[in-house]
Amino acid sequence: MAKVTAGGIRFHVQRLPAHRSSASADHLADSPTVVFVHGLGFDNMSSFYFTLANPAARAGANVILYDLRGHGDTERPTTDYSVDALVRDLTALLDALGVTEPVHLVGNSFGGTIALAMAITHPARVASLLLIEALTEAGIVAEDWEETMARAFAQGVQLRKSLANWGTIYGRKLRRIQAAFEALTNDTTLVADLQALPGFRSADLRSVTCPVVTIYGGDSEIIHHAHRLRELLPNCDLTIVPNCGHFLILEAPSAVRELLLRWLSLNAQPYVVLADHALVR
Amino acid sequence: MMPDDEQILAEVNLMLVEIIGEDYVLGLHIGMDTYFDADLELESIEFVRLAAALTEHYGEQVNFVAFLADRQIDEIINLTVGDVVRHVAGCMAISTAGAVHG
């Protein structure tokens, strides 16, 4: 279970059905579908699973989470890590799951790149986007792949520690995380594929017709991507969280959750935002 | 018949052995006081697997994701196996009561 084969790849998928409540029971058939797309390298579905997924289900959405190829518990093929290939994976996965209606996509970091590419190439399959610290081109990440990822990993550990004494990240856990990362880096074409990415053309971004809600950290190294999106996307709502960097889900969880619920209530009716989860601050 | 804590602990133990791998668990005693983070070093993706395994085994009434979503990150990492066992037992008790009275 939890494994779905699509396009020849075995994906790790988790689904959370929309919560039933007296107010929304009548609309159950209309529950919109929200798909979460995680970032590169050390990331996987768990960064959403324990943070944003349940609030979305509680707000009345059918939630789908999956691990990108080469990440988490999904198979690690040696080739095809271009954005086009990752978009193909997403459409194949939706087909395999029988999801035919337009979906609402949440993308974090490079997951935001994939979500944007999906909206550009398959506009009929995307109802709206929530982009968290989305990259509009991945060149800078690919240039210094190992250094950028090492820094990201250290920051992630540091953040978890400073937020909550994340505990011991050594021994078994560290060995496994390192081994998976090294296999992704050395045994696949991921880095080369990222280096070859052209980045979005301005005309592509101008063609996105669905509503886009996006959030960046004020101190993020990629804040210029936020300004590019706001300038070019026809329908873009930008939130900047001051004193935060790239790891918004860890750094400002309630701001991101608040935005998720607002995005759902604006773009994915019928929705009922339950009072008990109206907002945890 | 409702399973007691001891039975649930045994079942959760089997899930953890499957998730973490026998090699690591070998020689490790998993009891109610075992910490997921400090003792088992459970990775977050393994936590996802545990949540899914619990729902698969006990049914929809055991919603571990909702249980975690109500908690702060520092509470999550300080969870023990016993916390999960008691959560499962609590969910089963509610659902049994619902079946009798509802």
Side-chain angles (χ1 to χ4, degrees), chain B residues 5-59:
Chain B
D5 282 8
E6 202 175 318
Q7 188 186 334
I8 295 170
L9 175 63
E11 289 163 351
V12 170
N13 247 323
L14 285 178
M15 291 174 202
L16 284 169
V17 171
E18 178 135 329
I19 289 165
I20 298 172
E22 259 175 72
D23 292 352
Y24 182 76
V25 178
L26 209 66
L28 204 71
H29 172 75
I30 303 179
M32 296 291 270
D33 296 333
T34 303
Y35 286 92
F36 287 109
D37 186 56
D39 297 330
L40 298 179
E41 291 197 57
L42 214 64
E43 273 177 63
S44 41
I45 195 71
E46 293 169 331
F47 234 69
V48 175
R49 277 185 236 158
L50 175 64
L54 289 170
T55 301
E56 187 185 25
H57 188 89
Y58 296 107

Side-chain angles (χ1 to χ4, degrees), chain A residues 93-104:
Chain A
L93 191 60
L94 292 175
D95 290 343
L97 294 171
V99 177
T100 52
E101 77 276 12
V103 296
H104 303 267

Side-chain angles (χ1 to χ4, degrees), chain A residues 61-270:
Chain A
N62 287 317
V63 170
I64 297 173
L65 304 111
Y66 72 106
D67 286 331
L68 296 175
R69 62 166 66 202
H71 294 72
D73 282 343
T74 287
E75 204 182 322
R76 185 168 52 232
T78 52
T79 57
D80 280 333
Y81 287 83
S82 67
V83 171
D84 285 349
L86 297 167
V87 167
R88 266 201 308 280
D89 284 349
L90 178 52
T91 56
L93 191 60
L94 292 175
D95 290 343
L97 294 171
V99 177
T100 52
E101 77 276 12
V103 296
H104 303 267
L105 294 174
V106 181
N108 181 42
S109 190
F110 190 68
T113 315
I114 298 167
L116 263 171
M118 177 83 170
I120 290 164
T121 56
H122 298 77
R125 299 198 79 160
V126 180
S128 71
L129 300 177
L130 171 59
L131 306 176
I132 305 159
E133 279 283 322
L135 289 155
T136 59
E137 46 100 12
I140 57 167
V141 180
E143 297 282 299
D144 277 317
W145 170 253
E146 300 211 32
E147 195 187 313
T148 306
M149 285 296 137
R151 210 166 58 227
F153 182 69
Q155 272 176 309
V157 172
Q158 188 59 40
L159 273 169
R160 290 180 169 101
K161 267 191 179 150
S162 64
L163 283 174
N165 184 23
W166 182 255
T168 51
I169 183 112
Y170 49 73
R172 185 187 80 93
K173 191 192 287 194
L174 188 58
R175 281 198 304 277
R176 289 172 70 119
I177 293 173
Q178 262 179 341
F181 178 75
E182 278 166 20
L184 183 65
T185 302
N186 301 325
D187 305 344
T188 79
T189 59
L190 173 81
V191 179
D193 290 347
L194 289 178
Q195 278 166 348
L197 280 184
F200 293 116
R201 292 178 309 148
S202 296
D204 290 337
L205 293 174
R206 285 201 189 92
S207 76
V208 175
T209 49
C210 72
V212 181
V213 167
T214 175
I215 185 167
Y216 285 83
D219 298 338
S220 169
E221 289 169 24
I222 61 158
I223 188 72
H224 56 287
H225 295 236
H227 301 305
R228 184 162 183 235
L229 288 181
R230 185 159 65 176
E231 185 193 326
L232 295 174
L233 293 172
N235 186 349
C236 179
D237 173 327
L238 169 64
T239 298
I240 293 178
V241 189
N243 306 316
C244 282
H246 184 58
F247 298 88
L248 275 183
I249 298 176
L250 285 173
E251 294 177 70
S254 46
V256 177
R257 190 169 44 224
E258 205 169 316
L259 192 67
L260 169 88
L261 294 177
R262 184 157 68 82
W263 168 69
L264 288 176
S265 68
L266 287 176
N267 296 302
Q269 295 290 350

